[in-house]
Amino acid sequence: MASQTEVEHPRKAFGWAARDPSGFFSPFNFSRRETGEKDVAFKVLYCGICHSDLHMAKNEWGTSTYPLVPGHELAGVVTEVGNKVEKFKVGDRVGVGCLVDSCGTCENCCENLENYCPQYTLTYGAKYRDGSITYGGYSDWMVADEHFVVRIPDGLPLDAAAPLLCAGITVYSPLRYFALDKPGLHVGVVGLGGLGHMAVKFAKAFGAKVTVISTSPYKKEEAIQHLGADSFLISRDQDQMEAAKGTLDGIIDTVSAVHLLLPLIGLLKSHGKLVMLGAPEKPLELPIFPLLSGRKIVGGSLIGGIKETQEMMDFAAKHNVKPDIEVIPIDYVNTAMERLLKADVKYRFVIDIGNTLKPSP
């Protein structure tokens, strides 16, 4: 597939970029490729801020390339399509999530699991096959192969749809794959942030009973009264954890900090599943005996394939599953990153690109 920045016919684009590991953002002019025959170009109207944007801006994973234009929760309206595009037309409401390319031929790609392709290309901060850098959604427009573009149903507001393209699919996919999507099951959710609050909402939409597990007692009212969880456990309260042993069919663990797994495994029924979505910097201790006595499993999951992302988007529209968002102007992004570092957001920042991103003179 073509690259985002072609030497022959580049098109001007404008966004905000981090220039170095300080993570400070400022206006940035760059180029994207012309719309190819299988490409969809669209005006970006909203872009969610994922915690990984902060990690990448500060090069905390050691893989960042500067200037870095983050954003893998893009929502907007199609402005141009290539002559071989079959699924989209000008004016359609669309989005792009974490991926913009994959090999298309491996076993995972053939099974609609592009997210597990060994050669996938991330939406920003990565390299296309020709070596050019990908730029994300903190920008005025985007171009991507139609295969990696998702249709956003009319009933779903674009600002709310944006975070579904990362936070939404990241929790929806494991709930589906690990069969925690059935009415009557009891699902635990560890952590109540951007991912956790979406896990609660999707699990409830599937008909499950949901228990939020948190170190923060003050989140109980929010979890139950606002998000609709059925119960709340303080993970540091040994009495509460003991009383809840063996009650959960599965747990979605969204925490990225180092934490104990043994108490969580104890909450599972026999055949229960602990699914890890967070990525702690240091290895976690995994006791094996508690897994043996109950045939319990610990698994992981990473975003989702494009077909499943579309399925998730359609499900969210049908069941009115929307993230709690705080819409901000682009020039607030540096402050938003400072607040994100302190977990001071409920629960996802979304940049109003369409109304606040203005090209520099």
Side-chain angles (χ1 to χ4, degrees):
M1 299 177 186
S3 68
Q4 278 193 322
T5 307
E6 289 185 353
V7 176
E8 294 180 355
H9 301 289
R11 291 176 59 185
K12 292 182 179 180
F14 176 69
W16 277 47
R19 314 298 180 111
D20 55 54
S22 71
F24 183 82
F25 288 89
S26 58
F28 175 57
N29 291 291
F30 61 102
S31 297
R32 295 197 188 276
R33 67 171 183 259
E34 287 284 349
T35 306
E37 60 184 15
K38 294 285 288 179
D39 283 341
V40 173
F42 64 94
K43 178 178 174 59
V44 180
L45 296 179
Y46 295 96
C47 185
I49 296 180
C50 177
H51 210 286
S52 59
D53 297 351
L54 178 60
H55 289 302
M56 289 292 289
K58 293 181 175 293
N59 195 27
E60 291 177 349
W61 292 332
T63 60
S64 301
T65 301
Y66 300 98
L68 181 85
V69 179
H72 56 209
E73 300 179 346
L74 298 74
V77 176
V78 176
T79 55
E80 185 181 16
V81 297
N83 58 16
K84 291 187 178 180
V85 168
E86 300 176 349
K87 297 189 292 184
F88 301 99
K89 65 182 186 304
V90 172
D92 283 349
R93 305 163 83 248
V94 298
V96 163
C98 300
L99 305 176
V100 291
D101 199 6
S102 67
C103 77
T105 59
C106 71
E107 182 177 358
N108 286 322
C109 285
C110 292
E111 294 181 356
N112 298 303
L113 295 171
E114 300 90 348
N115 50 315
Y116 299 125
C117 172
Q119 299 179 49
Y120 67 49
T121 301
L122 296 173
T123 301
Y124 72 85
K127 289 185 178 181
Y128 269 102
R129 302 176 196 190
D130 68 354
S132 60
I133 303 299
T134 59
Y135 296 114
Y138 295 14
S139 58
D140 54 356
W141 70 282
M142 180 67 173
V143 59
D145 185 283
E146 73 165 332
H147 180 80
F148 293 89
V149 178
V150 174
R151 183 180 304 278
I152 298 175
D154 290 338
L156 202 54
L158 289 178
D159 55 358
L164 294 175
L165 292 157
C166 174
I169 186 60
T170 296
V171 300
Y172 179 92
S173 183
L175 285 169
R176 292 278 286 156
Y177 178 80
F178 290 98
L180 299 174
D181 58 346
K182 308 293 189 295
L185 293 181
H186 193 172
V187 176
V189 175
V190 186
L192 199 60
L195 293 181
H197 95 289
M198 289 308 308
V200 173
K201 293 189 177 196
F202 273 115
K204 289 297 295 181
F206 284 131
K209 179 182 178 182
V210 177
T211 293
V212 170
I213 304 155
S214 175
T215 58
S216 307
Y218 69 88
K219 291 186 177 181
K220 179 177 181 179
E221 183 177 354
E222 175 78 9
I224 295 175
Q225 300 298 328
H226 180 65
L227 296 176
D230 298 280
S231 55
F232 186 90
L233 289 176
I234 301 171
S235 57
R236 292 173 176 160
D237 188 319
Q238 293 185 356
D239 292 338
Q240 286 189 19
M241 296 293 283
E242 183 68 27
K245 272 190 172 182
T247 62
L248 302 181
D249 296 286
I251 297 174
I252 301 295
D253 187 342
T254 70
V255 174
S256 291
V258 173
H259 59 291
L260 296 175
L261 298 184
L262 180 59
L264 300 178
I265 294 170
L267 297 175
L268 293 172
K269 299 177 182 177
S270 294
H271 325 297
K273 304 147 188 174
L274 172 59
V275 186
M276 309 299 295
L277 303 184
E281 293 181 8
K282 296 180 181 179
L284 303 184
E285 184 176 326
L286 179 61
I288 300 302
F289 276 107
L291 300 180
L292 305 181
S293 57
R295 197 157 60 184
K296 302 172 184 179
I297 65 171
V298 177
S301 186
L302 178 71
I303 52 177
I306 306 304
K307 181 179 179 181
E308 189 174 45
T309 301
Q310 185 66 67
E311 174 191 301
M312 176 276 307
M313 193 68 74
D314 295 340
F315 180 92
K318 181 178 180 180
H319 296 273
N320 196 32
V321 178
K322 296 182 291 188
D324 289 16
I325 60 173
E326 180 178 336
V327 179
I328 62 170
I330 186 68
D331 59 9
Y332 188 79
V333 68
N334 288 306
T335 302
M337 291 295 177
E338 294 174 2
R339 288 179 54 192
L340 187 60
L341 193 60
K342 298 181 289 186
D344 178 24
V345 58
K346 290 183 178 178
Y347 283 93
R348 206 70 158 183
F349 286 118
V350 175
I351 307 170
D352 183 352
I353 299 289
N355 289 316
T356 68
L357 179 63
K358 308 299 180 185
S360 59

